[in-house]
Amino acid sequence: GENVEQHPSTLSVQEGDSAVIKCTYSDSASNYFPWYKQELGKRPQLIIDIRSNVGEKKDQRIAVTLNKTAKHFSLHITETQPEDSAVYFCAARDSARQLTFGSGTQLTVLP
Amino acid sequence: EAGVVQSPRYKIIEKKQPVAFWCNPISGHNTLYWYLQNLGQGPELLIRYENEEAVDDSQLPKDRFSAERLKGVDSTLKIQPAELGDSAVYLCASSPREDGGELFFGEGSRLTVL
């Protein structure tokens, strides 16, 4: 099955700086890569996703890039704000349509 | 529109006792998932339903876990008997499409086994 590795496990940035979270996947047939944000005690919620036929996607302050050759994808958050503090999970959907999540990154935006 | 509804939100039981969790997906969503989330970890798939058919239950520990989705709508996840290591959050999610797309999660059911 698919194996998704996520780094770093914790990330602290100053308010206004950028944050980057990276994930690698193992199944070259994986074709869908979402990112979920989970605030403490709340449900995971989709913030952005990308399909394998696209190299980059942007939505206001967040963007995702995908390198299919290297089998890695990254989440970029610019102009970070305190409300961006949360746990972020990457995921990859493999050829069996199973969605496998990474282990998460605790992002802390310092005021 | 109501989101995915789960109950109970919290459950504390002693080991070897049974426990059941209930999930009501978003109306019209044919695909339903049960995930297990340990503290500080990402969700791990237990079972995926397409309508009432379990199409992926390879990660479900079938000696003690069971699930059903009658009439292709609500679903229940049961553990019998519960073990200490089952303490976790059990997340239900639904999706309108067979190929996945966005998953809509419920608030989760937090299980503590003493």
Side-chain angles (χ1 to χ4, degrees), chain A residues 52-90:
Chain A
S52 56
N53 58 347
V54 176
E56 183 175 359
K57 184 176 178 180
K58 189 174 182 180
D59 182 3
Q60 298 183 342
R61 295 187 298 108
I62 60 174
V64 57
T65 58
L66 171 65
N67 184 325
K68 285 175 22 180
T69 302
K71 290 189 286 188
H72 68 70
F73 56 113
S74 301
L75 177 71
H76 304 253
I77 305 174
T78 59
E79 301 173 19
T80 53
Q81 302 168 2
E83 53 265 38
D84 294 330
S85 295
V87 178
Y88 291 82
F89 294 100
C90 63

Side-chain angles (χ1 to χ4, degrees), chain B residues 2 10 12 18 20 22 26-27 31 38 41 43 45 50 53 57 60-61 68 73 87-89 92 98 101 105 110:
Chain B
Y10 305 93
I12 300 174
W22 174 80
I26 293 173
S27 177
T31 308
N38 287 304
Q41 298 294 317
L45 181 69
E50 299 292 349
E53 181 183 1
D57 63 355
L60 189 73
E68 61 181 8
V73 182
S87 295
V89 175
C92 179
E98 286 187 7
F105 284 90
R110 181 178 296 276

Side-chain angles (χ1 to χ4, degrees), chain A:
Chain A
E2 176 65 277
N3 182 43
V4 177
E5 295 193 357
Q6 183 171 347
H7 300 280
S9 57
T10 61
L11 178 61
S12 293
V13 298
Q14 291 293 139
E15 183 177 356
D17 287 350
S18 296
V20 180
I21 303 170
K22 300 181 179 181
C23 289
T24 60
Y25 60 99
S26 60
D27 186 349
S28 57
S30 289
N31 57 12
Y32 174 68
F33 306 91
W35 286 87
Y36 284 80
K37 175 183 180 182
Q38 187 174 29
E39 297 179 3
L40 188 63
K42 297 193 175 181
R43 70 188 79 192
Q45 291 189 298
L46 181 74
I47 56 171
I48 195 167
D49 56 10
I50 191 168
R51 298 187 184 274
S52 56
N53 58 347
V54 176
E56 183 175 359
K57 184 176 178 180
K58 189 174 182 180
D59 182 3
Q60 298 183 342
R61 295 187 298 108
I62 60 174
V64 57
T65 58
L66 171 65
N67 184 325
K68 285 175 22 180
T69 302
K71 290 189 286 188
H72 68 70
F73 56 113
S74 301
L75 177 71
H76 304 253
I77 305 174
T78 59
E79 301 173 19
T80 53
Q81 302 168 2
E83 53 265 38
D84 294 330
S85 295
V87 178
Y88 291 82
F89 294 100
C90 63
R93 188 181 68 209
D94 61 23
S95 52
R97 302 206 304 266
Q98 180 170 326
L99 194 65
T100 301
F101 286 82
S103 55
T105 297
Q106 172 69 62
L107 173 64
T108 303
V109 180
L110 305 169

